[in-house]
Amino acid sequence: MAAESGSSRYSAEFDLPLRGDAITAERYISTAFMERESEHLWPRVWLLGAMVAEFEQEGDYVRHNLGKESVIMVRQADDSIKAFYNTCPHRGNRLILGDIGGSERITCGYHGWQYSSDGLLVHVQDPDDFPGGDPCGKVSLSEVRCETWGPFVFYCMDTDVKPLLEWLAPLPERLKDYGLDNWIRVMYLSADADFNWKIIRDNFNESYHLPTIHPELSTIINDGLPDTLFEMYESGHNSMWMKGHQASTRNPSFQSGEVPSPLDDVARAWDLDPADFEGRSADIREAIIEAKRRLGPERGYSNYVNMSDQQLVDYFHCTLFPNLTITMSPEQCQIMSTEPHPTDPQKCIFHHWVIVPPVEGMKEVVTPIGPVPMEWAEHRHSVYGDGQSVGFVADQDLSIGASQQQGLNSRGFNSCFLTYQEKRVQRFHELLNDYVDTDTINTEALT
Ligand code: FES
């Protein structure tokens, strides 16, 4: 269980009390818990399904599978986007089998029923052979709520859930100055992985693992606890501000003032001489803010103008309930989600997008899989461990997932024993418990 207090900084404005529910292995390994999530969680939350830019003309669609469910989002004649369950009202055949496409009509591959982009049945074989007469114009695909935030398309299977922007609060407001609307998805990867979807959710809800799993980040991100700000919101989402362009207080160079690599290269990229900062490397962060303000617009970073100093150099890591992570830097946004496997609670599907602002003249951009063209990326799906990277830092996160899943299957594991800074992990599971109406709630006070 999480301790009541600690050295980490939870914002006084955005801190929340916890119950101390026990986090046992059941939720990571049992089919019964997975089925409760299928029944009570996934249909009642907003889920990221696509990007607005994927829908260029009427009839363009994106399919999104989630566990056993499948939804299609379709561009309408009035440029809006509607979503439908991906099932044919005739006898239930799945309508769309590919990830993305476009057509004037949605045609079922079984008996050829056809639907217009607004989901209305417009053509059947043998229309006179129905007891009630021709069903065209009377039957529709089953609709799902669909709303957009900036460049993103979300869907929700429940009619009682709040509208998307209220659901996401306060993050649309907190992220608006990055100007995400016209950003381009230059990396789109997914992978089957051998662990429950919540393992990576937990991982993204804490930074306690950074010194061990991502030690190289300590040369460019200050992951020291006193310098990291955590926030938890009533909506169930969380965030963390980490100081960027500064070595970690855990890294020897922070004390010595030596300029570590790659911070030296970043300084040079903004016309700063690392030698000027020897003995005071922490000052590079402020100097880069000034350099970005001065040089950014002429280098094509027109989005810098609205950003705060903090946004110009730091990392804003947002974990949205239940399964979405958005990590912001001014030049790149990483979006990661984990989704349940259709039948196996000990597997999941990991998704990793990178979106970047369009910068005039820039032909290539560096991503977690190396340099890629500055253009919309194709989706690449793999099986984690087959040698294809899902992004350098994400590879490190996923590398621990399988071994944690194995350990959670041990008779020797009791329940999680959390630090104070892992409060967001605790919060995630308590909210999850509220959804699945679990009987495992432990109301003991935090110790
Ligand atoms: Fe779709 Fe028959 S199941 S047309």
Side-chain angles (χ1 to χ4, degrees):
M1 268 181 254
E4 259 302 4
S5 61
S7 54
S8 43
R9 292 172 62 207
Y10 273 91
S11 152
E13 187 185 355
F14 298 112
D15 199 1
L16 290 166
L18 300 173
R19 296 187 296 253
D21 301 0
I23 306 171
T24 61
E26 180 211 4
R27 66 191 50 228
Y28 301 99
I29 65 178
S30 97
T31 303
F33 199 95
M34 179 185 199
E35 285 172 356
R36 290 214 293 277
E37 290 173 345
S38 279
E39 182 82 10
H40 302 297
L41 172 71
W42 299 115
R44 295 164 62 200
V45 295
W46 283 100
L47 295 157
L48 177 62
M51 294 195 71
V52 173
E54 293 180 87
F55 303 86
E56 291 182 354
Q57 55 190 13
E58 183 184 359
D60 284 356
Y61 62 80
V62 175
R63 178 196 64 174
H64 190 246
N65 293 344
L66 187 110
K68 290 178 183 167
E69 194 53 89
S70 181
V71 164
I72 48 174
M73 292 149 277
V74 187
R75 166 99 171 242
Q76 303 297 298
D78 66 358
D79 296 348
S80 66
I81 300 165
K82 285 182 185 257
F84 307 98
Y85 288 105
N86 188 9
T87 181
C88 180
H90 177 218
R91 278 172 49 204
N93 189 41
R94 196 162 268 192
L95 292 163
I96 300 289
L97 303 180
D99 283 339
I100 190 164
S103 163
E104 207 174 299
R105 292 184 177 181
I106 300 163
T107 302
C108 180
Y110 196 176
H111 309 93
W113 285 25
Q114 295 182 0
Y115 305 86
S116 55
S117 54
D118 62 357
L120 190 66
L121 181 65
V122 291
H123 172 79
V124 294
Q125 282 190 71
D126 304 331
D128 301 329
D129 190 33
F130 291 84
D134 184 352
C136 291
K138 300 174 194 156
V139 172
S140 287
L141 300 180
S142 185
E143 191 165 348
V144 177
R145 291 171 72 192
C146 187
E147 295 179 19
T148 61
W149 160 49
F152 306 115
V153 182
F154 286 75
Y155 67 88
C156 177
M157 298 176 238
D158 189 297
T159 51
D160 293 332
V161 172
K162 297 174 182 176
L164 177 64
L165 293 185
E166 281 179 48
W167 162 271
L168 293 170
L171 295 171
E173 180 63 24
R174 301 290 291 276
L175 294 171
K176 78 174 168 24
D177 291 338
Y178 288 100
L180 288 168
D181 286 23
N182 63 345
W183 289 29
I184 299 166
R185 188 171 60 198
V186 294
M187 191 188 92
Y188 180 5
L189 307 175
S190 60
D192 297 325
D194 287 336
F195 48 81
N196 182 274
W197 67 276
K198 295 183 288 295
I199 281 188
I200 287 293
R201 300 319 307 157
D202 294 347
N203 181 79
F204 290 151
N205 265 319
E206 50 93 353
S207 55
Y208 192 45
H209 67 281
L210 263 62
T212 42
I213 307 300
H214 315 297
E216 74 288 347
L217 295 182
S218 73
T219 56
I220 192 79
I221 296 176
N222 186 350
D223 61 1
L225 270 190
D227 289 283
T228 306
L229 181 66
F230 304 108
E231 297 183 351
M232 298 193 296
Y233 311 116
E234 291 285 350
S235 54
H237 314 309
N238 305 309
S239 70
M240 171 176 71
W241 276 105
M242 302 188 95
K243 278 188 183 168
H245 300 80
Q246 186 174 88
S248 169
T249 48
R250 303 175 197 271
N251 189 296
S253 65
F254 186 89
Q255 301 305 333
S256 68
E258 184 187 329
V259 182
S261 177
L263 186 55
D264 54 353
D265 286 336
V266 176
R268 286 187 199 98
W270 288 102
D271 292 355
L272 300 170
D273 184 351
D276 293 342
F277 295 88
E278 278 306 327
R280 56 183 192 96
S281 68
D283 293 346
I284 287 182
R285 180 173 171 274
E286 286 296 323
I288 287 180
I289 293 171
E290 188 280 325
K292 283 188 168 183
R293 291 250 178 261
R294 184 166 38 83
L295 301 173
E298 70 192 48
R299 294 185 179 187
Y301 290 103
S302 54
N303 58 334
Y304 283 179
V305 66
N306 294 319
M307 290 186 204
S308 65
D309 287 354
Q310 189 180 34
Q311 288 172 327
L312 279 177
V313 285
D314 294 345
Y315 296 92
F316 190 39
H317 175 82
C318 311
T319 43
L320 287 74
F321 187 83
N323 70 331
L324 185 63
T325 300
I326 298 177
T327 302
M328 290 300 317
S329 76
E331 299 86 17
Q332 194 161 108
C333 169
Q334 293 195 46
I335 298 163
M336 289 174 274
S337 62
T338 46
E339 296 174 352
H341 185 273
T343 55
D344 189 340
Q346 311 216 40
K347 294 180 186 292
C348 71
I349 297 96
F350 176 76
H351 292 258
H352 192 180
W353 300 355
V354 169
I355 65 171
V356 299
V359 175
E360 200 177 334
M362 189 178 282
K363 299 269 187 298
E364 209 172 61
V365 59
V366 176
T367 70
I369 52 168
V372 299
M374 178 66 121
E375 57 191 41
W376 284 87
E378 297 283 324
H379 178 196
R380 190 193 81 199
H381 184 77
S382 61
V383 175
Y384 179 71
D386 70 358
Q388 296 199 70
S389 174
V390 289
F392 175 60
V393 174
D395 285 340
Q396 294 171 327
D397 289 316
L398 268 62
S399 73
I400 213 69
S403 63
Q404 189 182 356
Q405 187 72 38
Q406 289 161 3
L408 287 166
N409 276 279
S410 169
R411 289 171 191 274
F413 178 74
N414 183 15
S415 62
C416 296
F417 191 95
L418 302 179
T419 60
Y420 186 69
Q421 65 186 284
E422 293 168 291
K423 244 180 131 174
R424 290 163 295 149
V425 175
Q426 183 74 26
R427 163 78 169 144
F428 166 82
H429 287 284
E430 295 188 359
L431 198 53
L432 177 62
N433 286 346
D434 292 343
Y435 273 84
V436 302
D437 195 24
T438 179
D439 54 7
T440 59
I441 289 177
N442 174 351
T443 54
E444 282 176 31
L446 297 175
T447 56

